Amino acid sequence: MIGRPVKVRGLALLLSLIAANCSSLFSQNSQVGPAAPSDQVSLSVIVVRTPEEGQEILERLRKGENFAQLARENSIDPTAEAGGYLGKFSPSALRSELRDALRGVGPGQISPVAHIPSGYAILKVADDDRPKTEAPSDRSLPFAATGTVKFSPDVSGLVEAEAALSQFSKPEDWNQSPRTICDMRKQSLAKATASVQAFLAPANEKAIQGRDPFDVMQAHYALAQLYAYQAEMEPAVEQYQEAYRVALAEVPAGVPMMEEALGVIYLHKSEMENEVYHAPGRKCIFPMRPGDAFLKTSDSQNAVKYFLKYLDRKPEEIEVKWLLNLAYMTLGEYPAQVPAKYLIPPSTFESREDVGRFVDVAAQAGLDSFSMAGGVIVDDFENNGRFDVVTSSFDSCGSMHFFHNNGDGTFTDQMKKAGLSDQVGGLNILQADYNNDGCTDILVLRGGWELPQRKSLLRNNCNGTFTDVTKASGLADPATSTQSAVWADINNDGLLDLMVVNENSPAQLFLNKGDGTFEDISVQSHINRTAFSKGVTAADYDNDGYVDFYVSNLSGPNFLYHNNHDNTFTEVAAEAGVAGPARGFATWFFDYDNDGYPDLFVTSYFVSLEESAKTYLGIPHNATTLKLFRNMGDGTFRDVTVEVGLDKVFMPMGANFGDIDNDGFLDIYLGTGNPSYASLIPNVLLRNHDGKYFVDVTTSSGTGELHKGHGIAFADLDNQGDEDIVAEVGGATPSDSHALRVFQNPGHGNDWISLKLVGVKSNRGAIGSRIKVTAENEGSGTRSIYRTVGSGGSFGASPLEQHIGLGKSARILEIEIWWPASNTHQTFSDVGKNQFLEIKEFASSYSKRNRTPYQLGGANTKTAALTPQSSDGQMAAHSGARN
């Protein structure tokens, strides 16, 4: 079981784990079409977390124990409650790993253990006593081949590194200490590398000669992957070449996939040689311009060579065509030198609209983080009226960073001063003032995609430092695998509660007791469903005064939890029309059309470069697209994805929303990718047109960072009245670390207002409070703009202070605030535009906040509309202000 010491079972087991991933390199790319119903068999499944658990369950089954009972007691899959019954399948419609496991398995028999993304699976083919009823269709999603979706090959070493950590002997409670997790990661990786090196050493040559050539090829590939994970590119390339040599000589089926892998690794090496990751500039803004071509070209030339070899065999492969065109871009030879039959024309990437060029100013501003995948928060942690930037890292040994805002357009990393040096790891972070002391705290989430690890609750000491209070607060146990949580006041008592969604373990709901501790009410609240959950968001979707939750799941249907007003919830996703998409990831509520009802956005996530490329090429998808559900105001939603132009596939991970042009309508920025170095697909900026449709403006805006996009935040970092985009960029391996991006908004000349709300009876940070701004635009009449206080998307955190665009030539007629705990309204009339305001619950007046505009990078700037207010910053509200 997870949490107890795990013993290494020797080189054979480690190699089999590593080889399992290698075989998926070759098998996942086979395209599988629908099968004839006559081929279908009834299947049941048990999924567990570790290979040891899988072997233990398999032995118990072989000794005659009941499959259904073991599934109920041990399976982490949602089918557990039904004894593991999955439904009827044609084997050809299953994931490749499961197809392989089922070969030769007849009725009443069980398969060997198969490694799938959600764990380790054992299948049983039903005999004559199989269930007579059909299983819900959603149960099959984690196991299905998903039509003809081509999954990208894993060229990264992440799976091998995770297998090594899984197998490594660990002390008790190892996952309660971030530093111990770091040590285990380093030791297990070194041991795994040494084990495979020993297997392939010249001294073992005779034993290797007696092995199946496929096994030898896999071993070379596994060692290449481990080197590639650690950024040791020269030995990695040597081992990929050795695997290719074996394939050419004795494993012909492996030749095309090894050619693609070699093209990918050479392209990745070329990027590293040309400092693309440390100093990206414009070199990884897609599409690359000829003037940004690489200076060192030999590795890119090798990438072109291997991609062309692959395409000679399979000329219609979209994924490799995409990578070939990209490799030519790095050489400065796109489009002229790309063979015509493989060319993707430049017009494919053009934006239909020009929103001005966003320029990356991270380095000039001192925001010089270099990190693996991670989270980001932008907020005022020091209560000085300036937005600081905090980041985390998926790197088990990578510390958080705390970038203090110097007030002149520059930032200084004060990680050690803030007491965050030992806060290593953490894929996502989010902020809230959980104890209502007026200082914003931080929650760190760990274990996403990995073994369970504990969270960290970091209390802001109101003096620029933080204290880890996780154990004292009651949030440390049990450790879970998670990257998503949301703060919300579920019972309107003015205390922020916490919902955490996990991967293959029950979701958790922690009730804030008001004394710095939390009570786990997951079971009695009825939110403790088990799923592979990747996102959670909160909003009062039916405007009944109580906050509800939406959970996005990578496998199976999503959940909408309606608040019953008594600390319990009812799951209503199917009735409300929001159970999809089948492979959910990032999600949020936002009022995209400004009708006063929170709508719901949820991304799909397929590890397929081909499916994303189809979006640009205008080819129909086989994967599920993004989803936008419009709130109908009656407790239900309508899928408007197609009519608003979001029927696209982008492989999004980190994502958030903001208003890039201050028109009052919320836009979307998606951070894209997956762990493979083949995943070179740009981040995406989608502009909202008056709440009617969205337009891709990535190319015109210059925000199409090619590498892995994770935490995303929108914030007015320079006090110039428009929102910049902060993007944590970096992959899941040390070799894929990347510099932070800060895309400065060029400005669009529209008006705005910025509101910081301070709760008195409601929670201090005003999370869940609703804002309605009624404005008049010259020549366009009167309209209302709606916002709910929160940090935005489920991966990346914008400031709780709300920046609201007003459009051109605007006049604010009225600002109305609704406070959840007191259920009161405040209204202020004829408020001036283009200013920063603070509004306290119950107050009859508001305060102007003194904010001096500056240029990110340090140079002072001028903006007439932002003349600083007097030092006391106070101004009575206009007559007519009321509670």
Side-chain angles (χ1 to χ4, degrees), residues 63-176:
K63 290 177 181 178
E65 291 195 44
N66 182 271
F67 190 99
Q69 186 62 32
L70 287 176
R72 293 186 186 97
E73 295 173 353
N74 299 278
S75 183
I76 60 175
D77 190 75
T79 59
E81 62 188 28
Y85 181 55
L86 186 59
K88 286 188 175 181
F89 267 98
S90 166
S92 63
L94 292 171
R95 294 181 59 87
S96 58
E97 307 96 312
L98 299 178
R99 293 199 305 273
D100 293 341
L102 278 174
R103 287 196 179 106
V105 178
Q109 296 179 334
I110 55 175
S111 75
V113 179
H115 188 188
I116 61 175
S118 58
Y120 294 82
I122 301 168
L123 290 170
K124 179 179 180 180
V125 179
D127 51 21
D128 291 339
D129 296 324
R130 62 185 178 272
K132 298 296 189 280
T133 58
E134 289 300 314
S137 60
D138 55 76
R139 287 185 185 166
S140 67
L141 293 170
F143 310 98
T146 317
T148 56
V149 170
K150 178 182 184 291
F151 293 96
S152 298
D154 175 37
V155 183
S156 72
L158 177 64
V159 173
E160 288 78 4
E162 294 297 340
L165 179 61
S166 170
Q167 293 298 301
F168 196 74
S169 179
K170 308 173 186 68
E172 290 289 341
D173 294 330
W174 67 275
N175 55 14
Q176 289 292 323

Side-chain angles (χ1 to χ4, degrees), residues 470-489:
T470 316
K471 289 187 177 180
S473 70
L475 297 181
D477 292 310
T480 61
S481 297
T482 183
Q483 70 170 59
S484 193
V486 66
W487 294 96
D489 183 357

Side-chain angles (χ1 to χ4, degrees), residues 645-780:
L646 289 179
D647 51 333
K648 304 174 186 296
V649 176
F650 286 123
M651 217 189 310
M653 298 181 296
N656 216 321
F657 59 87
D659 187 353
I660 60 168
D661 51 5
N662 280 340
D663 67 349
F665 291 93
L666 292 166
D667 311 299
I668 295 171
Y669 189 67
L670 305 175
T672 65
N674 74 74
S676 175
Y677 304 151
S679 174
L680 291 169
I681 197 80
N683 289 359
V684 178
L685 184 59
L686 300 167
R687 184 186 188 189
N688 183 343
H689 260 269
D690 302 326
K692 297 175 182 177
Y693 58 92
F694 290 79
V695 174
D696 187 340
V697 293
T698 307
T699 299
S700 69
S701 65
T703 56
E705 165 62 54
L706 262 177
H707 298 107
K708 315 305 188 306
H710 285 91
I712 305 296
F714 284 77
D716 183 4
L717 283 177
D718 51 14
N719 296 334
Q720 296 201 42
D722 43 41
E723 291 189 296
D724 311 299
I725 301 174
V726 181
E728 173 82 347
V729 181
T733 72
S735 181
D736 219 6
S737 298
H738 199 283
L740 184 75
R741 289 286 203 176
V742 179
F743 293 109
Q744 187 174 32
N745 195 315
H748 296 85
N750 288 343
D751 296 319
W752 53 274
I753 191 75
S754 184
L755 303 178
K756 178 180 180 178
L757 304 189
V758 180
V760 177
K761 184 176 181 180
S762 300
N763 69 88
R764 188 71 174 267
I767 289 176
S769 299
R770 298 201 293 262
I771 301 167
K772 176 183 177 182
V773 177
T774 303
E776 183 180 54
N777 296 96
E778 186 175 319
S780 300

Side-chain angles (χ1 to χ4, degrees), residues 495-821:
L495 302 171
L496 284 174
D497 312 299
L498 177 66
M499 183 166 179
V500 180
V501 294
N502 299 307
E503 298 171 5
N504 288 336
S505 62
Q508 299 165 294
L509 182 58
F510 297 97
L511 191 69
N512 192 329
K513 298 170 68 175
D515 58 0
T517 68
F518 294 82
E519 176 188 357
D520 187 341
I521 63 167
S522 309
V523 175
Q524 55 265 47
S525 66
H526 310 306
I527 61 85
N528 61 325
R529 293 187 172 216
T530 296
F532 199 93
S533 301
K534 298 305 295 180
V536 60
T537 184
D540 179 8
Y541 76 90
D542 55 356
N543 287 352
D544 66 353
Y546 285 80
V547 69
D548 312 292
F549 293 115
Y550 185 75
V551 180
S552 175
N553 299 316
L554 187 63
S555 56
N558 298 334
F559 307 141
L560 177 62
Y561 289 108
H562 178 261
N563 192 324
N564 299 324
H565 308 178
D566 59 0
N567 290 354
T568 70
F569 293 80
T570 300
E571 203 288 301
V572 296
E575 300 94 304
V578 292
R583 294 181 64 88
F585 203 141
T587 187
W588 58 68
F589 284 104
F590 71 154
D591 190 351
Y592 83 95
D593 55 358
N594 282 325
D595 68 352
Y597 289 93
D599 309 298
L600 185 56
F601 175 78
V602 56
T603 68
S604 64
Y605 187 70
F606 286 81
V607 182
S608 174
L609 178 58
E610 177 176 283
E611 288 296 315
S612 298
K614 287 178 179 178
T615 290
Y616 293 91
L617 296 170
I619 298 173
H621 300 101
N622 293 323
T624 310
T625 68
L626 307 170
K627 290 294 181 184
L628 180 63
F629 299 105
R630 184 172 184 264
N631 193 325
M632 303 307 294
D634 60 0
T636 68
F637 294 78
R638 182 169 66 87
D639 186 343
V640 296
T641 306
V642 174
E643 64 192 72
V644 301
L646 289 179
D647 51 333
K648 304 174 186 296
V649 176
F650 286 123
M651 217 189 310
M653 298 181 296
N656 216 321
F657 59 87
D659 187 353
I660 60 168
D661 51 5
N662 280 340
D663 67 349
F665 291 93
L666 292 166
D667 311 299
I668 295 171
Y669 189 67
L670 305 175
T672 65
N674 74 74
S676 175
Y677 304 151
S679 174
L680 291 169
I681 197 80
N683 289 359
V684 178
L685 184 59
L686 300 167
R687 184 186 188 189
N688 183 343
H689 260 269
D690 302 326
K692 297 175 182 177
Y693 58 92
F694 290 79
V695 174
D696 187 340
V697 293
T698 307
T699 299
S700 69
S701 65
T703 56
E705 165 62 54
L706 262 177
H707 298 107
K708 315 305 188 306
H710 285 91
I712 305 296
F714 284 77
D716 183 4
L717 283 177
D718 51 14
N719 296 334
Q720 296 201 42
D722 43 41
E723 291 189 296
D724 311 299
I725 301 174
V726 181
E728 173 82 347
V729 181
T733 72
S735 181
D736 219 6
S737 298
H738 199 283
L740 184 75
R741 289 286 203 176
V742 179
F743 293 109
Q744 187 174 32
N745 195 315
H748 296 85
N750 288 343
D751 296 319
W752 53 274
I753 191 75
S754 184
L755 303 178
K756 178 180 180 178
L757 304 189
V758 180
V760 177
K761 184 176 181 180
S762 300
N763 69 88
R764 188 71 174 267
I767 289 176
S769 299
R770 298 201 293 262
I771 301 167
K772 176 183 177 182
V773 177
T774 303
E776 183 180 54
N777 296 96
E778 186 175 319
S780 300
T782 301
R783 61 172 173 148
S784 295
I785 303 166
Y786 296 86
R787 298 287 185 270
T788 299
V789 177
S791 56
S794 57
F795 199 165
S798 302
L800 297 179
E801 181 173 322
Q802 295 298 296
H803 179 94
I804 304 170
L806 302 172
K808 291 191 181 299
S809 305
R811 182 168 74 91
I812 298 175
L813 303 178
E814 187 175 82
I815 295 176
E816 182 179 355
I817 314 295
W818 175 81
W819 298 89

